[in-house]
Structure formats: structure tokens, C-alpha cells
Amino acid sequence: MEKVLTFDFNNMMSGMVGKDGISAQQIEGVKAKALDAHAKVAEQAGKGWQGWMDLPYNQDKIADDIIDCAKEVRAKFDYFVVLGIGGSALGPSAVFTALKHLRYNDLPKEKRNGPKFYVEDNVDPERMASLLDVIDAEKTMFNVITKSGATSETMSQFLIIYDLLKSKLGHKANRHIIATTDMQKGNLIKIAKKENFKTFYIPDGVGGRFSELCPVGLLPAAVLGIDVKRMLQGARDMDGICKTADISKNPALFAALLMYIAMNNGKNISVMMPYADSLRLVSDWYCQLWAESLGKSADYDGKLVYAGQTPVKSLGVTDQHSQVQLYTEGPFDKVVTFLAVENFRNTVKIPYGFEDVPDVSFLCGSTLNKLINTELDATEYALTKAGRLNFRITLKQVDEYSVGQLLYFFMMQTAYCGAMLNINTYNQPGVEEGKNATYAMFGKKGYEAKKQELDSAPKKDAKYII
């Protein structure tokens, strides 16, 4: 097992940030709750909606089929498009950005060595039109991802694309669709069987935001030439680390404990700030994971708790010139998580020049590598000096193994934190309310009562519209 991830929480502690920090006594006070959360998560591993905890162990065989399919896609198609939303889009996007060339789609074909990659995660009509302007549908494989096949956004995209394919390719249109869905339940599996699509299955007990390590994420990654088995190994090793109930040796459990205390101390915003462009979309993925899992109005006892912490994405050093002013001098309501990279995949030297200009010459002879990590150190110092809670997760390098570890770390932290809050980490009633209202507005059968409820809702007052 390689040690590629370190968790440094010095700047969460009162000894570093002062009175707003966390004390050793506070940690001791919730240690029993953290240990109970660890036991609950371990006991439910692989059961119910914790089926995602089996993914590092049960996807290797499926990965062989995925890799074979990916080789065929890479050989035959110039474009690969994911149709999905939520975890079906955020996970593949995060892994693509983390592990491939940062301007991958702009590379010539011989350097890219794979199809151009697009993730369509919205139903903005201009976006769909723009996609069709830059791809050739006859040279594109589309991966439609939805467990239920009832996701309005994904299925509307699918209807548009499949109609286009049939108009261009006739009976061969089905060769341009791969469905990733439930094995037995839902609409997409019925359509896939009827149309004879190549199909991969989302295992039971795996919700969208926990699905990156199953075919939802593994197929797009493999098409891009990413070593998916190495990703699974990273997740597997992080799971092994998390099996210990010794809090001092379980970074995901300790991170959950600290966030639990911080939330109870009024820190209701979690800022995710990677200092690496490769990890910038990990922030987007994390935002769904943290918000949708922990944002719950009631706990398991039926008590109204309005739990959760608002995730905010940020990027170092870009947002040092925008958001950091607020983080340093604004309300004491945030925890900032820095994501750092020890060894970048490239080294870029800063050449000598204009030595007579002191504000420029001090950079000469250094590297962008040193500059970005020095700016991280400086921002961390400024926040800590101002008494603002922050901690740092450092990856030795960004590769398949470390990304597998990092994603699994955040999933375990979320599971532990949800257990400490005594909430259902895996449901999403707030999301479902919006979905149901949409169905009712479109006149979908079975949603008549919801339509009646909407019709009787208070109407907007014209005097409040200017």
C-alpha cells in the first residue's frame, strides 16, 4: 500500500488559529460519537445504499469488459459523449480533468490517442445545439447514464440524440449508444433491451453521487485510456486505511469528526480549494457529495435539525484574487480545505529577464511549481493568522491511484459525518420535490395531485416584479 495522501489538520486547532479553533477537549468530547459512526458505517458496508463500499472489491471483473469495450470505442469513434446529470456527469468530468491533458480535446488526434470527450449535464437548448455543431454524430459513441431511466434531463437528451442517429444511420443507430443503468428496474433497461444497446449496470445500493467507481465512471475513464484498475486499487487501499477504529490512523474519520465539531460551532460553509487545475472539478464533484448527502431537515429520530454545510468551490491561485478576501476578513463561518500536489506532472521554469525590475526579477530562475505551492503556503498562513479554520490534503502526485484514494476518502468522510449527524446520508427528498413538480407541470401521468397542489399555490404579485 502506497502512502500518497496526507491529511494535515494543524490549522483546525485552537493552538494555531486561536479561540475559534477546535480544542483537544472538544475532540475528546465527541470521540465516542465518532467511534459509534465508524461502527455503524462498517456494519452497513455493502448493505442498502452503502453498496458503494463494495465497489473497490467487486468491479475488477466488470472492468475487464469495460476495458475491452473501451478499446473498441477508441478504435472506431472520434467522439465520446456522456449524457447524464448529477453524479453521472460530475464524477466522469472530475476524473477526466484530473488524469488527462488539461487541453485534451484541443490536441491533434495523434497526440490525443483517443476520442474527443464531452459531458452533457444540462438541458440548455443552446448547449445541445453547440454540441451538435462540433461533433459528427456518425462518428460518435453516446453513453447515456441513468439508473432509473426516468431522469428527465438525461432522457430528453437521449431522445434528441437517438432521433438524430436514426435519421442518419437507420437500423445501425443502436451501435452508437451505450446504456449505463439498473440491471432490472426502470425505463432505460427496457429501452436498451428493445433496441439492443450495449449495456453496463449500476449495482444495487449505489446512488449517483457515490457511483464513480462503477461503470458510471469507469467506462468513460477507460475510453480515455485511464487505468481504471489502478483507480480501484487506490480506493481499495483507502478503504483498508479506514477500517481501523483508531481515529488517529483513520484520516477520513478524523476529518468527519473535525467537520462535525466545526458545524456545531457555526461553520456552515465548506470551501474546497485545490491548488492544481487538474483537481478543479473534484470541487464540483465534492459539492454534490457533501450537499446532497448532509443537507437534511430531519434526523432519524424525526427531529427537525436542518443539518448540513454549504459547499463552495474555489481554485488556487485564481481565487486568491477574488474569494480569499472574504475568507480572510469576512464572517467566521467557513472551513477551507486545501488540496495540494507535491509533484506536478510537468516542471515549467521561469526564465531570467528584466533583472532591473525588482517586482519581476525575484521570480527569475524559479518554477511555476514552486510559485503555486508557495502561494498555497502563503494563503494558508494568512487564513491561519486571521483565525480561520483550514486543513490541507496533499497528494504525492495526481495519478489513477491517488485519485482513487482521494475520491474514496471524501466518500468515507461523508458517510462518517452523516452517521455522526444521525441523518439519512443517502436519500434526497429536497431533490425529489423539484423533480415531482417538474413532472406535474408537464402533465405526467400519476402526478395529478402534485399538479393540483401547484395550481393552488400562492400566485406571484405583480407589484413585486419591476
Side-chain angles (χ1 to χ4, degrees), residues 269-287 310-327 334-339 379 383:
I269 297 173
S270 171
V271 178
M272 180 62 60
M273 194 169 188
Y275 270 71
D277 272 52
S278 62
L279 299 177
R280 65 185 177 85
L281 292 189
V282 170
S283 297
D284 293 63
W285 173 84
Y286 167 83
C287 282
T310 302
V312 173
K313 59 181 181 179
S314 189
L315 178 66
V317 299
T318 301
D319 288 315
Q320 284 179 213
H321 296 268
S322 60
Q323 299 178 30
V324 166
Q325 173 61 35
L326 172 68
Y327 303 160
K334 302 169 190 69
V335 178
V336 177
T337 301
F338 292 114
L339 294 184
T379 303
L383 286 173

Side-chain angles (χ1 to χ4, degrees), residues 132 136-139 142 158-177 195:
L132 299 179
D136 179 348
E138 296 180 48
K139 297 178 181 178
F142 296 91
F158 164 72
L159 289 168
I160 293 164
I161 292 300
Y162 201 42
D163 183 67
L164 174 65
L165 289 171
K166 286 189 288 187
S167 72
K168 289 179 174 290
L169 300 167
H171 69 279
K172 295 181 180 179
N174 63 347
R175 301 178 190 177
H176 290 249
I177 300 283
E195 300 296 319

Side-chain angles (χ1 to χ4, degrees), residues 8-13 16-17 380 384 388-391:
D8 179 353
F9 57 94
N10 271 279
N11 299 333
M12 296 289 285
M13 305 302 293
M16 293 294 283
V17 296
E380 181 186 72
T384 304
R388 313 305 170 116
L389 272 63
N390 64 89
F391 62 86

Side-chain angles (χ1 to χ4, degrees), residues 30-67:
V30 299
K31 188 179 274 189
K33 186 180 283 287
L35 293 174
D36 183 56
H38 180 272
K40 286 179 180 176
V41 170
E43 195 275 330
Q44 290 298 314
K47 301 175 185 176
W49 284 104
Q50 279 184 218
W52 59 272
M53 291 184 68
D54 282 344
L55 296 179
Y57 302 95
N58 66 13
Q59 295 296 291
D60 263 350
K61 197 170 201 179
I62 296 155
D64 289 332
D65 187 16
I66 286 171
I67 292 166

Side-chain angles (χ1 to χ4, degrees), residues 282-316:
V282 170
S283 297
D284 293 63
W285 173 84
Y286 167 83
C287 282
Q288 185 203 12
L289 178 71
W290 199 246
E292 212 165 73
S293 297
L294 303 185
K296 304 296 161 62
S297 61
D299 66 11
Y300 276 121
D301 300 323
K303 181 182 175 184
L304 289 175
V305 292
Y306 302 109
Q309 193 182 42
T310 302
V312 173
K313 59 181 181 179
S314 189
L315 178 66

Side-chain angles (χ1 to χ4, degrees), residues 229-263:
K229 289 198 172 185
R230 189 72 176 143
M231 273 180 60
L232 290 169
Q233 183 64 54
R236 191 154 56 239
D237 286 351
M238 178 52 67
D239 186 63
I241 291 169
C242 292
K243 287 188 185 302
T244 180
D246 183 342
I247 295 176
S248 66
K249 295 179 180 177
N250 185 333
L253 182 59
F254 215 132
L257 177 153
L258 292 169
M259 283 299 224
Y260 175 80
I261 294 173
M263 280 187 260

